[in-house]
């Protein structure tokens, strides 16, 4: 794969696919976070949502799952030409994994000032060996609304 991601893929379409995954998570009683990983040409290679509750495993974040899916069928351990789109700013664990996989670009919807690891909190993205381009706020309101509605439902 190329060292850098291709010019920006259709970020709105990628985030729409990630939002569909987030809704699947919400419908399953999971924290509604969805992610898709796009190849250098912008085509979606994998899509997933959180399965922490179903699998009773705190590592089953959407980002980790798409990495596992793509790397299982990939000839290289690095994904430098790829773009990850996720509905919520990745946590430090996921940001570290994305850096180790050398994903070229991470785009996210809703910021997570409390637990984010890309531009909020510990800002893991700025400490990675291989630089990861990070862009936040893509369809931010729609991504935040899915989370807000899910947690309102839990409190009701």
């Amino acid at each position: 794969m190329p060292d850098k991601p291709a010019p920006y893929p259709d970020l709105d379409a990628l985030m729409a696919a990630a939002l569909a995954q987030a809704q699947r998570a919400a419908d399953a009683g999971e924290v509604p976070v969805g992610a898709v990983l796009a190849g250098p040409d912008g085509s979606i290679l994998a899509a997933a949502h959180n399965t922490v509750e179903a699998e009773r495993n705190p590592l089953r974040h959407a980002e980790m799952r798409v990495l596992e899916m793509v790397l299982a069928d990939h000839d290289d351990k690095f994904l430098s030409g790829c773009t990850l789109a996720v509905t919520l700013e990745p946590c430090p664990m996921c940001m570290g994994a994305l850096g180790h996989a050398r994903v070229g670009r991470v785009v996210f919807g809703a910021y997570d000032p409390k637990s984010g690891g890309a531009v909020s909190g510990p800002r893991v993205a700025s400490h990675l060996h291989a630089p990861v381009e990070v862009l936040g706020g893509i369809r931010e309101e729609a991504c935040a609304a899915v989370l807000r509605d899910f947690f309102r439902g839990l409190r009701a």
Side-chain angles (χ1 to χ4, degrees):
M1 292 219 169
D3 287 340
K4 293 185 178 187
Y8 279 100
D10 183 349
L11 299 183
D12 192 57
L14 291 181
M15 196 57 73
L19 277 162
Q21 288 293 317
Q23 189 57 56
R24 288 183 65 192
D27 294 344
E30 299 279 350
V31 173
V33 176
V36 297
L37 189 68
D41 65 355
S43 65
I44 294 176
L45 303 175
H49 58 79
N50 283 357
T51 58
V52 171
E53 301 302 325
E55 296 185 43
R56 296 185 355 210
N57 183 339
L59 305 178
R60 305 307 288 155
H61 290 196
E63 302 94 323
M64 301 292 278
R65 293 187 63 227
V66 295
L67 284 177
E68 290 173 357
M69 290 174 185
V70 173
L71 290 169
D73 292 328
H74 194 58
D75 293 335
D76 191 355
K77 64 183 175 184
F78 299 129
L79 302 169
S80 57
C82 294
T83 298
L84 178 99
V86 62
T87 56
L88 180 65
E89 179 181 356
C91 73
M93 173 187 70
C94 291
M95 203 62 229
L98 293 163
H100 283 292
R102 297 198 183 156
V103 170
R105 179 183 298 129
V106 173
V107 296
F108 66 87
Y111 288 83
D112 189 353
K114 189 174 181 181
S115 301
V119 297
S120 304
R123 298 181 185 197
V124 174
S126 64
H127 300 286
L128 298 170
H129 293 290
V132 176
E133 181 183 350
V134 176
L135 179 63
I138 306 301
R139 296 191 66 176
E140 181 178 6
E141 182 50 41
C143 293
V146 172
L147 289 158
R148 193 171 42 248
D149 292 348
F150 176 77
F151 286 111
R152 272 191 193 137
L154 288 181
R155 291 183 197 105

